[in-house]
Amino acid sequence: MWSILTNRFPDLFKRLAMNALMVRSVIIDDELPVRRTLRSMLSSVPEVSVVGEAGNVTEGLDLIAEQKPDLIFLDIKMPIRSGFELLDELTLQQQFYGVIFISGYPDDALTAVQKAAPHPHSDFVVKPIDPLILKEKFRLFYHKWKADKEHEIELTAQLERAFSQNPESAVLSGPRFLTFQNSVALHRIEVADIMYCESANKQINVYCSKQEHLNVPNLTLDTLEKLLPPDHFIRIGKSHILNREAISYLEKGARPKCRLVLGHRVRELLIYASNVWKVEESYS
């Protein structure tokens, strides 16, 4: 049974196996000596791996897109564009990471907390960097990150159990049911009943035809996309996954709108104009 799962979702299981206890981090600071100091200090922390460095915001955004880190060590005052602008760009793109600001300006701490509010974790370290404070700040992040990671692994285990209920049909079309857990309840829903999934406010909203939408914390849209059968679901941009079978209407224009119908339920959502072609593809 495990081989069936790993064959169907190799990237997911490879990532969980390799990174279950290791935080992937990047350093973004325009000062090379600071980057070297940070890397040296972090080298003695076994739970973190520095997978890249960048000296400005443009390089930093490219690095983040390439490496998809768990944690960003981010300078604030940089030439041309600031660390706050980098964070604004990530928030606009619905990309959320842990952030530890490294700054020589303590007065920026309050603004930093506000800017990082949409992200799962933020903290602040003042330059010159005290290695003990740096490690303590990382530990605070690590404990929360580890709990989230364990939840993701548990979700994968639930997927394994879903496969074991009907392995023959699972190989052909994926699991029939998925189990989601939020702070108050555990929900087992039929995959075919999902109309669309939306990433918002550090959680996933799952909209179905037979019940009101579910709020699922500690789950990324990337992870959920790997759990859903790709022949029935389509990713629309960074924030939505749609059930192809439910799409019934697409309104183009300045504010494109998509209507989904499944059973007796009708739902509508606004989409970006740049993603209209993906919806159109589902009709072909």
Side-chain angles (χ1 to χ4, degrees):
M1 180 55 56
W2 189 257
S3 63
I4 292 174
L5 287 166
T6 53
N7 287 338
R8 183 169 179 83
F9 304 113
D11 292 339
L12 174 62
F13 279 85
K14 181 179 180 182
R15 179 165 56 84
L16 289 175
M18 292 179 63
N19 299 327
L21 295 175
M22 180 68 73
V23 173
R24 291 165 50 81
S25 69
V26 297
I27 300 170
I28 303 174
D29 194 301
D30 63 303
E31 298 181 76
L32 179 59
V34 173
R35 300 201 302 270
R36 287 177 173 171
T37 298
L38 268 172
R39 184 182 281 272
S40 176
M41 290 179 178
L42 294 170
S43 65
S44 62
V45 182
E47 297 87 359
V48 63
S49 171
V50 178
V51 297
E53 301 177 13
N56 57 57
V57 169
T58 300
E59 293 175 358
L61 289 170
D62 290 341
L63 177 63
I64 292 167
E66 176 186 349
Q67 295 293 339
K68 293 181 171 50
D70 304 298
L71 177 63
I72 303 169
F73 292 95
L74 180 63
D75 186 21
I76 295 176
K77 305 291 187 182
M78 290 185 283
I80 304 177
R81 301 173 70 187
S82 72
F84 288 156
E85 291 177 90
L86 179 142
L87 212 56
D88 287 341
E89 181 70 22
L90 293 177
T91 303
L92 184 64
Q93 295 175 9
Q94 291 286 303
Q95 298 184 40
F96 303 106
Y97 304 91
V99 181
I100 295 180
F101 293 96
I102 308 294
S103 175
Y105 300 87
D107 291 343
D108 285 336
L110 178 59
T111 304
V113 170
Q114 294 171 339
K115 287 286 186 181
H119 295 260
H121 181 92
S122 67
D123 217 320
F124 198 94
V125 174
V126 178
K127 298 177 183 176
I129 305 167
D130 183 320
L132 295 179
I133 293 178
L134 176 68
K135 291 176 182 179
E136 178 59 27
K137 299 292 187 180
F138 171 77
R139 290 291 175 191
L140 292 173
F141 165 79
Y142 179 73
H143 291 315
K144 183 179 186 305
W145 174 87
K146 185 171 180 286
D148 291 346
K149 185 65 66 176
E150 288 171 348
H151 178 83
E152 185 176 338
I153 293 172
E154 173 57 26
L155 182 64
T156 305
Q158 293 171 3
L159 175 63
E160 180 189 5
R161 292 193 290 271
F163 268 96
S164 65
Q165 295 169 3
N166 192 350
E168 295 302 322
S169 62
V171 172
L172 294 174
S173 58
R176 183 181 174 189
F177 294 93
L178 288 179
T179 303
F180 297 107
Q181 184 172 1
N182 59 25
S183 59
V184 296
L186 186 145
H187 299 271
R188 182 172 180 263
I189 63 175
E190 190 173 1
V191 170
D193 187 49
I194 298 174
M195 299 180 74
Y196 74 94
C197 308
E198 178 183 46
S199 173
N201 299 324
K202 297 185 287 186
Q203 68 179 13
I204 300 298
N205 297 323
V206 181
Y207 295 84
C208 303
S209 68
K210 298 177 183 177
Q211 57 187 306
E212 293 303 318
H213 77 274
L214 308 177
N215 300 318
V216 186
N218 303 322
L219 177 67
T220 66
L221 206 64
D222 289 340
T223 298
L224 182 57
E225 183 181 15
K226 293 180 173 69
L227 303 181
L228 296 171
D231 52 336
H232 287 88
F233 289 85
I234 180 173
R235 178 76 175 262
I236 303 295
K238 300 182 183 300
S239 303
H240 294 93
I241 297 175
L242 277 58
N243 185 337
R244 295 174 185 267
E245 302 297 322
I247 299 172
S248 68
Y249 173 79
L250 175 65
E251 181 179 308
K252 301 182 183 180
R255 295 289 289 166
K257 180 169 59 177
C258 184
R259 180 181 300 155
L260 299 101
V261 179
L262 197 61
H264 298 292
R265 178 85 69 170
V266 178
R267 297 187 186 274
E268 292 187 345
L269 70 153
L270 297 174
I271 62 175
Y272 288 110
S274 58
N275 293 320
V276 166
W277 68 273
K278 294 182 181 179
V279 180
E280 290 179 313
E281 271 194 347
S282 68
Y283 286 99
S284 57

